[in-house]
Amino acid sequence: MTFKDTIKLSWRNISSNRLRTGITVAIIALGICALIWFLTSLKAASNSLTNSFSTMGANAFSVRYKDRNIRFGGGGQRDVEKTSKSALKEKKSNTGKIITYEQAKEFKERYPFPAIVGLAIRGAGSIVVNNEKKKTNPDINVTGGDENYLELNGYKIAYGRNFTPADIESGRNVCVIGSGVAEKLYPENPSKAVDKVISVDHNPYRVLAVLEDKGSSAFFNTGKVVITSYNNIRRLYATQTSSFVIAVMVSDINLMDVAVGEAKGAFRPIRKLDVKEEDNFYIDKSDSIAASLINNLGFLEKGIIGVALITLLASSIGLMNIMLVAVNERTKEIGLIKALGGTKKDIRNQFLWESILISLLGAVVGIIVGILLGNLIAMFLKSGLVLLWGWIIGGIVVCSLVGLAAGLYPAVKASKLNPIDALRYE
């Protein structure tokens, strides 16, 4: 019996038992679908996180009073840093201290490195912005910055002008709005927003500029922002827990490590830290934040792979059981094939290929459904099409091995049947 004849006969036997084949394919497809679906979703989430933290360039970093890294189950880069500094003592009175306006301003004035330094403070979140005729949904974030804020955060002005030092120092009610806000308030022509007076959280603001759309992610919509001066935020929204964030951008990425070292050296005296005391502030690079978050997603990835492998193991046992049932049902057929000259190899190959084909059908169905479901999540996260070719090929290979392993024992059992006993089997 040729290889082509073996494949044809195996496919015919699979097709003639559609219900049994369908159930087995569904079991195998479930494991592969779960694997591809969740891994695609995790990849989409990591892409979206990377986009969210790419507002600052690779040659920029920020100084904040507490760690904003997200961990799953503890641990992380900060813990490593603290371990390496175990010789330093940490005063409880130093922990959790906010960065005040005076400290941030002093840092900007004293920072010796040739770089662009900007100050920012978070204002109100989830507020409504409106004019006489239109209003936004309550999902607008208000932030206070200085004249360098737009450049440091990768914004470009589409219409209007940037803040002047006078705007910053006076803290008057002027603002720059994102493209999403402008399009909502002035859908016919967003450029008309410039010099208009809008209401932000029931406070009147004159619009200085409209920002260009620079894309969004599920974690942060860069178009749904209102940016004003930090002194305006201090006057209207600041509380005792409000802390400034200092952003620094150097001209060359190769100067980052030196700039970070200079920042620590300049800020420690401002924070009144003794040489033996640990830093009570954190320096974050945009790429390292995204890398840390993505690294934490790796814990979920390992768990998903484990669950998928367990599902495939269970499906392989089910497939082996199905193939053993098939051997019993077709005992007479096996005896007839042997009586007509069929060899042990022909019988063994037939059952092996049936098992492998069923497993591959499950892989194809599971991969297609997993890709579709995973990319639905990717569409929601606005991260673009995600195709994990490595896992797709790996899924096909694993399913082939599952089919081979599940079909091996039934195939060997079928090939060893005595043709006379098989023909008399009822």
Side-chain angles (χ1 to χ4, degrees):
M1 190 183 295
T2 64
F3 176 74
K4 185 177 180 181
D5 293 332
T6 302
I7 295 295
K8 280 185 176 180
L9 187 56
S10 298
W11 181 255
R12 190 181 305 138
N13 288 325
I14 290 172
S15 304
S16 63
N17 294 284
R18 293 181 181 177
L19 180 60
R20 182 189 300 165
T21 301
I23 293 172
T24 312
V25 166
I27 294 171
I28 295 170
L30 182 63
I32 291 296
C33 176
L35 179 67
I36 300 298
W37 178 12
F38 289 118
L39 289 178
T40 302
S41 300
L42 282 178
K43 180 64 176 176
S46 67
N47 290 344
S48 188
L49 283 168
T50 302
N51 292 335
S52 296
F53 287 105
S54 63
T55 52
M56 288 196 307
N59 57 335
F61 62 89
S62 61
V63 184
R64 59 185 64 248
Y65 82 102
K66 65 177 180 179
D67 188 3
R68 70 170 176 182
N69 282 341
I70 300 172
R71 303 186 188 92
F72 299 100
Q77 181 182 359
R78 302 301 180 194
D79 298 321
V80 175
E81 290 180 0
K82 284 187 177 182
T83 302
S84 65
K85 295 179 179 179
S86 57
L88 299 178
K89 62 181 181 178
E90 182 178 1
K91 287 184 178 179
K92 292 296 181 183
S93 59
N94 272 341
T95 60
K97 274 189 172 182
I98 65 169
I99 297 176
T100 64
Y101 166 69
E102 290 76 16
Q103 290 173 348
K105 191 172 182 181
E106 187 176 355
F107 176 88
K108 185 175 181 179
E109 292 171 352
R110 290 174 54 177
Y111 186 55
F113 201 81
I116 299 172
V117 180
L119 311 181
I121 185 171
R122 190 173 179 81
S126 300
I127 66 168
V128 176
V129 179
N130 64 285
N131 57 17
E132 297 85 356
K133 299 178 181 179
K134 304 278 185 180
K135 66 178 181 179
T136 67
N137 295 324
D139 57 353
I140 309 301
N141 291 306
V142 178
T143 303
D146 58 11
E147 67 277 7
N148 296 325
Y149 181 85
L150 300 183
E151 182 179 359
L152 285 164
N153 287 274
Y155 286 108
K156 293 183 179 179
I157 294 175
Y159 316 102
R161 66 170 178 85
N162 194 6
F163 297 107
T164 63
D167 295 326
I168 305 300
E169 290 302 319
S170 65
R172 57 196 179 200
N173 287 18
V174 292
C175 69
V176 172
I177 61 176
S179 57
V181 177
E183 289 167 4
K184 185 69 175 180
L185 299 183
Y186 302 93
E188 67 285 349
N189 188 358
S191 64
K192 289 185 177 180
V194 178
D195 285 332
K196 292 290 193 300
V197 175
I198 61 174
S199 174
V200 180
D201 198 26
H202 307 293
N203 294 308
Y205 280 79
R206 185 167 68 86
V207 178
L208 297 180
V210 176
L211 301 173
E212 290 182 3
D213 182 17
K214 64 170 185 172
S216 303
S217 70
F219 300 93
F220 182 63
N221 191 323
T222 58
K224 294 184 177 181
V225 294
V226 172
I227 301 165
T228 183
S229 66
Y230 57 71
N231 277 325
N232 184 269
I233 295 295
R234 289 176 64 215
R235 179 165 58 85
L236 296 177
Y237 297 106
T239 64
Q240 290 184 345
T241 59
S242 297
S243 180
F244 272 79
V245 176
I246 304 166
V248 181
M249 180 182 287
V250 296
S251 57
D252 187 349
I253 192 171
N254 295 320
L255 301 174
M256 279 287 288
D257 291 338
V258 180
V260 168
E262 291 283 354
K264 288 182 178 181
F267 203 43
R268 282 182 61 85
I270 295 172
R271 296 281 279 181
K272 296 179 171 57
L273 292 173
D274 187 79
V275 291
K276 296 182 180 179
E277 293 175 358
E278 188 178 346
D279 293 342
N280 61 355
F281 56 90
Y282 294 93
I283 294 183
D284 290 329
K285 302 175 187 177
S286 57
D287 55 347
S288 64
I289 298 166
S292 177
L293 291 167
I294 293 167
N295 181 59
N296 286 321
L297 289 177
F299 291 105
L300 295 177
E301 183 178 324
K302 290 180 178 67
I304 290 166
I305 293 170
V307 171
L309 289 176
I310 293 170
T311 306
L312 286 174
L313 178 62
S315 64
S316 69
I317 296 171
L319 178 57
M320 181 183 292
N321 184 55
I322 292 293
M323 295 308 298
L324 286 171
V325 172
V327 171
N328 289 333
E329 286 183 349
R330 289 156 53 191
T331 300
K332 224 171 197 181
E333 177 190 326
I334 294 167
L336 183 59
I337 292 173
K338 282 196 169 186
L340 293 174
T343 64
K344 286 185 177 182
K345 183 180 179 182
D346 293 333
I347 301 297
R348 186 173 63 248
N349 288 346
Q350 181 186 333
F351 280 90
L352 273 177
W353 276 108
E354 282 184 36
S355 179
I356 292 171
L357 287 173
I358 290 173
S359 189
L360 286 176
L361 280 173
V364 171
V365 173
I367 287 169
I368 292 172
V369 176
I371 289 172
L372 291 175
L373 292 175
N375 278 282
L376 284 177
I377 303 296
M379 287 174 60
F380 173 74
L381 296 177
K382 301 178 182 178
S383 64
L385 181 67
V386 178
L387 289 174
L388 303 176
W389 290 108
W391 282 108
I392 291 171
I393 296 170
I396 294 172
V397 172
V398 168
C399 281
S400 299
L401 295 175
V402 166
L404 181 63
L408 189 60
Y409 174 68
V412 172
K413 181 181 178 181
S415 68
K416 289 182 177 180
L417 288 175
N418 186 289
I420 296 174
D421 293 336
L423 284 170
R424 290 187 305 185
Y425 184 80
E426 293 294 337

